[in-house]
Amino acid sequence: MASFAKINDDNEVLAVLTLDNENCVNSEGVETESVGQQWLETHNNWPADKWIQTSYNTINNTHTLGGTAFRGNYASIGFTWDSSNNIFWPPKPYPSWVKNTTTASWEAPVAKPALTAEQNAQNTKPDAATPSTHMWGYDWNEDTQSWDLTDTYA
Amino acid sequence: MQKKVLSEQALYFGDVKMPKHWEIDSNDLSGYILQSNIRNSEFLFSKTWDKLNTYIREHINLKYKISLVNKNTWGNIYKPTETTIPLKNINPIDLRNSPDFTLLYGVKVEDCTIRIYYEDNRRKGRSWDMPLINNQFIMFPSTNMYIIKNNQKDSLNFVQTITYEYI
């Protein structure tokens, strides 16, 4: 199986389709992107160069099954294809966030603080039957350009 | 103080920006419109129509997270200076099977105006005029009445209509 993202002229992902292997292998039986693109052009009424192969098992530039990551992230509707970095980017979460091409993810301009040992302990269930007392975490505040400590149980 | 929008009457409009060399073939689409009008038959499926329909559905989903499902489609030819009677694409006694949205696409148009009627609470009978030009679409709620005006004296106007429901 091979997945392809359909993109428009603005490089926005419109749809993601999955092909049978037989539709994207060349005459020597090797999976080839251009063969899949041509098949999609013929059957889906959209130009071949606007179909970009994507990997189901790649997220944040890591292959979840231990293989080689491919194009940063598995594409999804609303993602953007970046041909210069060869990465599918998810929508930018905040205007101030910037691309990290190593992890294929968006990063805040200020690093997220770590929770203290006490906060981590309070987030942890004492046992299976007892809920934790807090759920501490940090949320990005675009107005103040900083991380706000929040307790979702509060 | 807070606000909750319970319902909205929105117009969606713009160009159909297809990739280069993959533009909507207006000659092909107007041919199908002519054929269905002359034969008084159903509008036939074509690759050109499918390009248009797919473009609209995918881009409305991308930009506004509205999943559209096709209800019906037809094409009309409007004579010079013709103004339609007020049109509405819902059946008031069968709302369940009526569409949510009506889309008008300018296949081959010249000086064409769409007037969409709406109500603003107690202010009834308001209208909004929008020009429809070649390769542009206007989509609005099917509960809104509208008229199509061919303003000039020389050419026929070809307009494709597609109705949708959303899920």
Side-chain angles (χ1 to χ4, degrees):
Chain A
M1 304 280 266
S3 300
F4 286 78
K6 177 181 181 179
I7 60 166
N8 61 15
D9 280 349
D10 297 326
N11 293 318
E12 297 163 308
V13 175
L14 301 168
V16 179
L17 295 192
T18 305
L19 293 190
D20 281 336
N21 284 340
E22 63 188 62
N23 296 319
C24 49
V25 292
N26 63 17
S27 53
E28 290 158 5
V30 181
E31 188 179 298
T32 311
E33 184 175 19
S34 59
V35 175
Q37 288 174 321
Q38 201 51 57
W39 191 93
L40 286 161
E41 175 175 311
T42 307
H43 294 88
N44 283 275
N45 221 359
W46 196 252
D49 63 337
K50 299 288 179 190
W51 292 98
I52 310 293
Q53 192 166 4
T54 181
S55 159
Y56 181 77
N57 293 307
T58 297
I59 181 165
N60 294 343
N61 223 11
T62 304
H63 196 278
T64 53
L65 304 177
T68 307
F70 183 63
R71 292 178 173 164
N73 293 289
Y74 180 56
S76 184
I77 294 172
F79 280 37
T80 305
W81 168 240
D82 172 358
S83 57
S84 356
N85 290 306
N86 211 24
I87 288 173
F88 284 103
W89 293 99
K92 195 175 188 175
Y94 298 96
S96 65
W97 287 33
V98 293
K99 287 176 177 174
N100 180 330
T101 52
T102 309
T103 60
S105 60
W106 293 97
E107 279 187 354
V110 178
K112 191 176 185 174
L115 293 174
T116 62
E118 187 187 2
Q119 288 162 346
N120 275 321
Q122 290 173 344
N123 283 353
T124 311
K125 286 178 168 186
D127 55 68
T130 316
S132 60
T133 55
H134 295 274
M135 190 49 70
W136 296 107
Y138 281 99
D139 290 333
W140 178 251
N141 185 327
E142 184 69 4
D143 293 334
T144 59
Q145 293 287 296
S146 61
W147 292 93
D148 293 340
L149 181 63
T150 55
D151 178 7
T152 51
Y153 284 2
Chain B
M1 190 180 288
Q2 295 182 36
K3 176 187 172 183
K4 170 78 181 162
V5 177
L6 300 176
S7 171
E8 69 168 10
Q9 291 179 63
L11 306 181
Y12 304 88
F13 56 95
D15 293 328
V16 175
K17 284 193 222 161
M18 295 291 287
K20 204 173 178 189
H21 306 307
W22 283 75
E23 292 86 359
I24 304 291
D25 182 346
S26 60
N27 287 330
D28 186 61
L29 203 50
S30 57
Y32 278 94
I33 293 175
L34 191 61
Q35 194 179 48
S36 69
N37 278 263
I38 289 172
R39 294 182 181 169
N40 197 21
S41 59
E42 257 187 36
F43 185 84
L44 296 176
F45 178 86
S46 68
K47 283 186 85 168
T48 304
W49 178 87
D50 182 56
K51 265 191 210 172
L52 169 66
N53 180 52
T54 305
Y55 178 94
I56 297 294
R57 290 181 57 194
E58 287 180 342
H59 282 81
I60 292 288
N61 184 34
L62 174 72
K63 303 286 182 194
Y64 305 106
K65 305 274 182 282
I66 300 172
S67 292
L68 297 174
V69 177
N70 284 87
K71 291 292 284 183
N72 204 352
T73 188
W74 61 90
N76 288 105
I77 304 168
Y78 298 105
K79 290 182 284 220
T81 69
E82 178 179 351
T83 298
T84 65
I85 57 168
L87 305 165
K88 198 186 250 191
N89 294 323
I90 57 155
N91 180 351
I93 56 168
D94 188 13
L95 290 172
R96 183 187 290 267
N97 292 308
S98 292
D100 288 302
F101 291 108
T102 295
L103 176 131
L104 303 174
Y105 172 75
V107 181
K108 269 189 185 180
V109 287
E110 207 172 304
D111 202 358
C112 179
T113 309
I114 311 298
R115 173 167 291 172
I116 297 160
Y117 293 92
Y118 67 100
E119 293 177 359
D120 178 13
N121 294 318
R122 65 190 172 85
R123 298 163 189 86
K124 310 290 183 193
R126 292 201 158 189
S127 65
W128 186 261
D129 283 5
M130 286 195 79
L132 183 66
I133 62 175
N134 286 330
N135 199 40
Q136 267 197 358
F137 74 91
I138 302 173
M139 191 174 87
F140 50 91
S142 294
T143 44
N144 288 84
M145 202 158 65
Y146 65 101
I147 58 174
I148 300 175
K149 293 201 276 186
N150 184 348
N151 299 315
Q152 44 76 49
K153 296 176 182 171
D154 303 313
S155 312
L156 297 171
N157 277 346
F158 290 74
V159 176
Q160 183 74 37
T161 305
I162 309 178
T163 59
Y164 297 101
E165 63 178 315
Y166 70 80
I167 52 172

